Amino acid sequence: MSDVTTMLVDSNVLLDIFTEDPRWFPWSAKALTRAADRAVLAVNPIIYAEVSVGFEQIEDLEEALPSAYFHRLPLPWEAGFLAGKCYVRYRRAGGRKRSPMPDFYVGAHAAVMGFELLTRDPARYRTYFPRLQLLSP
């Protein structure tokens, strides 16, 4: 599997598609299709939780994110450590407390595992994970 890229799919891309967001749906749908053509798509528990808010029942979420298409990956402990360190840098640089921690976990997960990240909100990832390969607008 060394030749296969894993692409972690950020919740904003999935939510754009599930809600048919008028601004972002076209970009997110096309980017997800392109990513699926060249990589294994994956989500982690943080992404799964963020996307779950749009669903009443877990069965509906499972249907929307079939495990045969979106691999479920655990969060490595090293990602937790890196997320915490990046969050401290963010706060020391004047970042608001307003719960950015999930983004740091997602970025750290991709960085620690050498995954690419599909997101439409690249600014924080580029700042705190500069070597992370992004597929973004």
Side-chain angles (χ1 to χ4, degrees), residues 9-10 12-14 16-17 21-35 117-122 126 134-137:
V9 182
D10 202 355
N12 54 39
V13 171
L14 296 169
D16 290 344
I17 294 167
D21 182 271
R23 179 174 177 200
W24 287 105
F25 175 82
W27 183 88
S28 292
K30 185 175 181 179
L32 185 64
T33 300
R34 280 193 326 241
L117 178 63
L118 171 58
T119 183
R120 69 159 162 80
D121 188 19
R126 285 190 179 129
L134 299 176
L135 177 54
S136 62

Side-chain angles (χ1 to χ4, degrees), residues 23 34 42 54 56 64-65 100 116 137:
R23 179 174 177 200
R34 280 193 326 241
E56 290 298 316
L65 285 176
E116 293 182 32

Side-chain angles (χ1 to χ4, degrees), residues 44-114:
N44 64 28
I46 301 288
I47 295 165
Y48 191 90
E50 289 181 322
V51 172
S52 76
V53 300
F55 295 85
E56 290 298 316
Q57 297 182 2
I58 194 169
E59 293 82 6
D60 297 332
L61 177 56
E62 286 294 316
E63 187 176 319
L65 285 176
S67 60
Y69 193 65
F70 293 94
H71 293 235
R72 270 74 165 151
L73 302 176
L75 285 167
W77 290 102
E78 297 85 355
F81 183 83
L82 180 57
K85 294 301 177 196
C86 290
Y87 180 71
V88 167
R89 279 187 48 220
Y90 167 80
R91 292 289 290 143
R92 287 183 180 153
R96 297 189 325 255
K97 202 171 190 173
R98 191 188 128 256
S99 72
M101 204 57 176
D103 288 347
F104 287 111
Y105 265 112
V106 169
H109 185 187
V112 164
M113 299 304 295

